[in-house]
Amino acid sequence: MALHDIITHSLASTPQQQNGRPDRQHGTYINAVNGANGKGILLPINYPISNLKLDTQHCIDDVRELRVAVVGAGLAGITAGILLPAKVPRINLTIFEKNSDVSGTWLENSYPGVRCDIPAHVYQSTFSPNTQWSEQFAAGSEIRDYWQSIAEKHNVYRHVKLGHRVEDASWDDNASEWNLMVQNLSTGNKSMENFDFVILAIGRFNAWKLPEYPGIDDYQGFLRHTSNWDTSFDPVGKSVAVIGNGASGIQIVPNLQRVAKHVTHFARNPTWIATSWAGDERTFKPQPYSAEKRESFVDPKAYLTFRKDLEEKYWRRFHAMLRDSKENADIKDLFIEVMKKRVAKKPELLEGLIPDFSPHCRRLTPGPGYLESLTEDNVDLVRTRIKHFTSTGIETVDGKRRHFDAIFCATGANIDLAPPFCVKARGLDLKEVWKHDGKFGFPYTYLGVATPGFPNLLFLAGPHATGPSGTVPHSVETQVTYYAKLFRKVSSQGIKTINPLRQAADDFVDYCDAYFPTTVLTDNCSSWNNGGIPGSRIHGLWPGSAAHVTIARRDPRWEDWEYEYVSNSGNRFAYFGNGWTKGEVAEDSDLTSYLKLPSEVDLRDIHESWWDLPGAVSKA
């Protein structure tokens, strides 16, 4: 007999009250429980009457389908596409990606010298590693290929709509859903798509833009942002300019210096050129792994030992972030000494290159070959402010005009972390209110995961996403796992909307305001940690170490959220349903999966694995 038949039979077998009113002499009619014929149950005793009408069709282990949209298919979006379907029953997942393929910044950036500043064996997923990286610090194309390969391996592409750009997101309070306006970039057609939840995984560097210098439209030469590189351009024998000394500027200058006739580098702000992130020294030339080394990685145990030793160093460097710490003072002395050596041919360059803020206030960039290239005869370092562009080049505020065949702008992207499209709910638009001159003035969030007043909206690898230690892939994985727990709660407990309490968000901001002054992040520097404005609230990093944020995300603080329920009854336990589980009547289900060999039992995990419930799995 099917479960529904068993339940309705048991309810219908009780004598029914015909007139639908309580009979206090012979029993109490419980008008909240329906039998098979829709009438109530007559009890032989008086019993309290409930206002709740039980759903006889619903078992407590029934979960409803959740329509979830992820915006962006870079590292974070790919990770969500792998982990969410594995962790969330009945998730209906759609990933929108504006580009022609996945991998985000590693697909978009193809400028000369683009590569990762940390070892490739660290910059990969924890669960699906590539043991055969060709170089210690992989080129951008190899990183792109890796993330595309694991998207293929884990069947992420089935969820991805490539060439689809989200142009607007609006919350509908009446329907309790997000409406996304999406443009198909190949056809130009626009459509409205509806979702229960939206995860913004648009990344930090997704919205590059050319600087707003006067006259930039008058320039007749070759003009490109480094994130919009044209591989058909040949710089050999050309006179070129590079504006900006962020990561891409530092990487591109030494590569252009070796082939261009002349390079003029406009770099107004000083920056620290690091030796390494965690003792893994980068050189300008590729650092390939030997065939013997790569062969040793074929042994899973040997590779795991290698990777653990390598990756642990990136969890141990947190002390250097702290204000007045010995570790920060030591690396400052080291960086100064190294920078002096690298500009030994032209020591006068050092004046103005060494910052007056501490290392780590801005993101460190090792920049092998960068300072050395500035000492070459075909490179000029210009610290004078740009006044405007001309038809042939650039004029600085001192009146000097320079002519260039090409100008490359390494001027960054939307470091304020405000979305590049409208995200509207209850009279507010995150695109506006997160900007420096907006209502909040910074990315106002609860734990970097959600914002009060924007129900069912989550952020992945956005504000406060990572600690200043650890690894980016690990941090993204723990954040996705946090969201999986949230989705499982919502879909299984009859919750329609979830929204962080304003007091919880205010307390988090207050904690950040107390914590960040203890770090060098609040020195007088401009970085994407503060939205490019010294003194603005730090939002680019988590207020603590990577281990700290991992623990903070392990168990969601459900008391920090407010909920709306699917049921109209107002009873939060309506999702208990008919008192049964589906697994109980399935003959092939394992109702005693909790019984294991004593040697297999870990008391720390006993009765905690979310998927290991009576009847949830089939018998072996």
Side-chain angles (χ1 to χ4, degrees):
M1 184 180 292
L3 175 59
H4 173 62
D5 294 334
I6 292 174
I7 296 169
T8 53
H9 174 77
S10 65
L11 293 175
S13 63
T14 305
Q16 303 296 314
Q17 169 62 252
Q18 297 300 312
N19 60 10
R21 297 195 46 90
D23 184 336
R24 293 297 179 182
Q25 292 182 344
H26 300 94
T28 300
Y29 169 45
I30 306 301
N31 60 5
V33 181
N34 284 346
N37 60 4
K39 294 185 178 181
I41 300 173
L42 183 67
L43 297 181
I45 58 173
N46 288 331
Y47 197 77
I49 298 175
S50 170
N51 293 318
L52 177 64
K53 179 179 179 181
L54 297 185
D55 183 353
T56 60
Q57 305 294 314
H58 182 82
C59 297
I60 194 171
D61 52 349
D62 278 325
V63 297
R64 80 176 193 277
E65 179 184 83
L66 284 186
R67 301 164 299 164
V68 177
V70 175
V71 183
L75 179 159
I78 292 170
T79 303
I82 297 171
L83 294 183
L84 288 180
K87 290 177 174 290
V88 183
R90 296 202 67 197
I91 190 172
N92 183 346
L93 184 65
T94 303
I95 304 173
F96 294 104
E97 172 53 55
K98 67 181 185 299
N99 291 318
S100 60
D101 208 335
V102 302
S103 70
T105 190
W106 301 106
L107 177 74
E108 295 178 355
N109 286 275
S110 58
Y111 58 83
V114 59
R115 64 178 62 241
C116 197
D117 287 332
I118 63 172
H121 287 282
V122 172
Y123 193 78
Q124 58 178 342
S125 79
T126 65
F127 53 83
S128 191
N130 170 25
T131 66
Q132 298 298 304
W133 290 98
S134 64
E135 300 178 38
Q136 186 177 358
F137 298 92
S141 57
E142 190 171 7
I143 298 171
R144 174 202 65 206
D145 292 346
Y146 164 75
W147 286 101
Q148 291 178 358
S149 73
I150 70 164
E152 181 88 30
K153 175 182 177 181
H154 295 279
N155 207 12
V156 174
Y157 283 100
R158 64 185 164 142
H159 304 293
V160 182
K161 288 188 174 183
L162 296 171
H164 284 69
R165 183 175 63 207
V166 175
E167 298 193 335
D168 184 89
S170 299
W171 173 254
D172 184 338
D173 255 324
N174 293 323
S176 295
E177 64 183 16
W178 281 97
N179 302 322
L180 300 188
M181 179 61 70
V182 183
Q183 182 175 27
N184 183 328
L185 298 180
S186 63
T187 65
N189 294 335
K190 295 184 179 182
S191 61
M192 185 69 75
E193 305 202 29
N194 306 320
F195 297 91
D196 300 304
F197 280 82
V198 170
I199 301 176
L200 298 184
I202 53 182
R204 299 182 182 278
F205 313 114
N206 68 90
W208 62 265
K209 65 175 184 177
L210 292 172
E212 297 177 354
Y213 288 114
I216 193 169
D217 294 333
D218 298 329
Y219 177 63
Q220 300 298 308
F222 188 84
L223 177 66
R224 273 291 187 277
H225 193 283
T226 50
S227 292
N228 186 34
W229 191 262
D230 185 345
T231 55
S232 68
F233 176 77
D234 184 2
V236 174
K238 302 289 199 312
S239 177
V240 302
V242 176
I243 304 174
N245 62 345
S248 60
I250 288 172
Q251 288 183 343
I252 196 175
V253 165
N255 283 273
L256 289 176
Q257 180 270 319
R258 283 158 171 77
V259 296
K261 177 182 178 182
H262 193 275
V263 178
T264 301
H265 184 34
F266 293 89
R268 197 153 50 94
N269 298 315
T271 192
W272 290 105
I273 304 300
T275 53
S276 69
W277 278 87
D280 301 304
E281 197 72 35
R282 257 195 68 191
T283 64
F284 180 74
K285 293 182 179 180
Q287 296 162 264
Y289 284 105
S290 66
E292 293 78 14
K293 189 71 170 176
R294 293 170 67 180
E295 179 64 26
S296 73
F297 295 157
V298 173
D299 178 359
K301 290 185 178 179
Y303 178 71
L304 180 60
T305 298
F306 163 80
R307 184 175 178 187
K308 283 174 69 69
D309 290 343
L310 178 66
E311 192 154 319
E312 183 174 1
K313 294 187 296 184
Y314 289 81
W315 290 78
R316 298 284 186 187
R317 61 186 181 86
F318 179 64
H319 283 91
M321 299 295 301
L322 301 180
R323 183 174 299 285
D324 300 325
S325 66
K326 180 180 183 301
E327 289 81 359
N328 191 271
D330 287 347
I331 64 171
K332 180 177 181 179
D333 292 341
L334 174 62
F335 291 173
I336 290 174
E337 189 62 30
V338 169
M339 291 173 72
K340 285 180 178 178
K341 291 179 179 178
R342 291 183 176 181
V343 297
K345 283 174 61 176
K346 292 183 179 178
E348 66 275 11
L349 287 176
L350 204 61
E351 182 182 351
L353 275 182
I354 296 179
D356 58 3
F357 52 82
S358 302
H360 284 301
C361 182
R362 293 181 67 182
R363 180 182 183 274
L364 293 181
T365 303
Y370 170 70
L371 291 175
E372 295 87 341
S373 70
L374 298 183
T375 68
E376 297 299 323
D377 293 338
N378 68 332
V379 177
D380 284 333
L381 175 63
V382 178
R383 300 193 189 92
T384 310
R385 255 187 332 114
I386 293 173
K387 181 179 180 181
H388 62 82
F389 277 53
T390 68
S391 61
T392 59
I394 291 174
E395 180 179 339
T396 47
V397 293
D398 58 4
K400 188 168 184 178
R401 290 193 169 204
R402 296 173 176 85
H403 306 288
F404 304 110
D405 299 308
I407 299 175
F408 301 109
C409 301
T411 47
N414 53 326
I415 59 175
D416 56 14
L417 289 185
F421 52 86
C422 292
V423 180
K424 294 171 289 189
R426 298 175 178 174
L428 297 177
D429 183 352
L430 286 188
K431 182 180 180 181
E432 303 302 327
V433 298
W434 275 10
K435 290 187 180 298
H436 184 65
D437 57 354
K439 175 182 174 64
F440 299 134
F442 69 105
Y444 171 61
T445 71
Y446 165 74
L447 306 185
V449 301
T451 294
F454 288 78
N456 295 10
L457 178 70
L458 305 169
F459 313 117
L460 182 57
H464 300 295
T466 59
S469 54
T471 75
V472 170
H474 176 272
S475 182
V476 168
E477 289 170 22
T478 61
Q479 199 168 15
V480 172
T481 301
Y482 180 98
Y483 294 152
K485 294 174 182 178
L486 187 152
F487 290 151
R488 291 199 300 265
K489 180 179 180 70
V490 166
S491 62
S492 67
Q493 296 183 14
I495 297 171
K496 181 165 55 175
T497 69
I498 187 168
N499 192 28
L501 294 168
R502 185 168 296 277
Q503 185 59 55
D506 289 345
D507 284 350
F508 175 67
V509 172
D510 194 41
Y511 175 81
C512 291
D513 290 348
Y515 173 78
F516 283 120
T518 70
T519 74
V520 296
L521 294 168
T522 46
D523 273 9
N524 186 21
C525 78
S526 170
S527 75
W528 51 257
N529 290 317
N530 56 27
I533 303 175
S536 293
R537 280 191 166 100
I538 303 297
H539 56 258
L541 289 171
W542 175 262
S545 68
H548 185 274
V549 67
T550 301
I551 292 174
R553 289 185 186 140
R554 180 56 59 92
D555 296 305
R557 291 173 48 87
W558 301 120
E559 66 270 29
D560 292 345
W561 300 80
E562 57 183 348
Y563 309 94
E564 285 185 284
Y565 292 90
V566 174
S567 170
N568 295 326
S569 68
N571 190 316
R572 72 191 64 205
F573 299 114
Y575 75 93
F576 279 16
N578 51 36
W580 291 70
T581 67
K582 294 183 299 181
E584 290 176 88
V585 294
E587 292 298 326
D588 63 343
S589 69
D590 186 356
L591 294 175
T592 59
S593 59
Y594 53 87
L595 296 178
K596 298 178 173 64
L597 292 172
S599 60
E600 297 176 347
V601 174
D602 185 337
L603 294 180
R604 295 169 300 179
D605 191 52
I606 196 166
H607 305 315
E608 291 206 43
S609 299
W610 68 267
W611 63 91
D612 190 11
L613 296 170
V617 296
S618 298
K619 295 177 180 178

